[in-house]
Amino acid sequence: MASYNLKINGKAVSVTIDEDTPLLWVLRDELNLVGTKFGCGIAQCGACTVHLDDTAVRSCSIPIASLDGANITTIEGLAKDKLHPVQEAWKELDVPQCGYCQVGQIMTATSFLKQNPNPNNKEIRNAMNGNLCRCASYNRIEKAVALAAKKMS
């Protein structure tokens, strides 16, 4: 076991844990940040998406040993006093059905819109392509990302 220092949602935290423990389980089991979901465990579904220095990454496949000193944002830290514009768009368009994948969808969308604030529909579809939704809410997800881009401009 080793100690790792991270900045999670703007706060400095230290954890002592096995070096090969994935970030997902550090967040959920050690820090009680359970908004990030476990889906597949092989970085294919997107349910576990968080931001690593503002870039969307799959937390289920990143060992904590590679993250000492990293800046991580989870869904709990996405917005401070009010909803993030992406969250507002999700709510406005009533995107989720079961909701399980939505945290990963929102985290992917917010990272994407930071990099591309004025995307077209094809760019949105391509950016969101790696996040799976069992309820097939893809059309509403695409519309919500476009609405969020408008809200953020």
Side-chain angles (χ1 to χ4, degrees), residues 19-139:
E19 66 184 25
D20 60 346
T21 303
L23 174 60
L24 172 65
W25 300 115
V26 173
L27 295 171
R28 291 184 61 81
D29 294 346
E30 302 299 317
L31 302 174
N32 200 32
L33 295 170
V34 295
T36 305
K37 305 299 183 204
F38 172 78
C40 65
I42 56 172
Q44 297 297 302
C45 74
C48 68
T49 303
V50 298
H51 295 171
L52 172 60
D53 296 321
D54 293 327
T55 300
V57 297
R58 307 298 166 82
S59 64
C60 72
S61 65
I62 302 174
I64 191 66
S66 68
L67 296 171
D68 196 33
N71 184 22
I72 309 291
T73 304
T74 68
I75 192 73
E76 292 91 346
L78 189 59
K80 301 293 181 215
D81 298 325
K82 61 179 187 167
L83 293 177
H84 186 281
V86 172
Q87 292 170 309
E88 288 175 0
W90 246 249
K91 186 175 176 182
E92 211 171 296
L93 296 179
D94 198 24
V95 171
Q97 286 184 36
C98 83
Y100 196 83
C101 71
Q102 297 306 306
V103 169
Q105 301 276 2
I106 288 169
M107 296 304 285
T108 297
T110 56
S111 177
F112 166 66
L113 290 174
K114 242 181 203 181
Q115 297 166 13
N116 185 350
N118 190 24
N120 62 40
N121 286 345
K122 184 177 180 183
E123 291 169 328
I124 292 170
R125 199 170 304 115
N126 286 338
M128 301 305 294
N129 188 38
N131 288 73
L132 301 179
C133 176
R134 291 180 182 177
C135 301
S137 296
Y138 298 114
N139 290 331

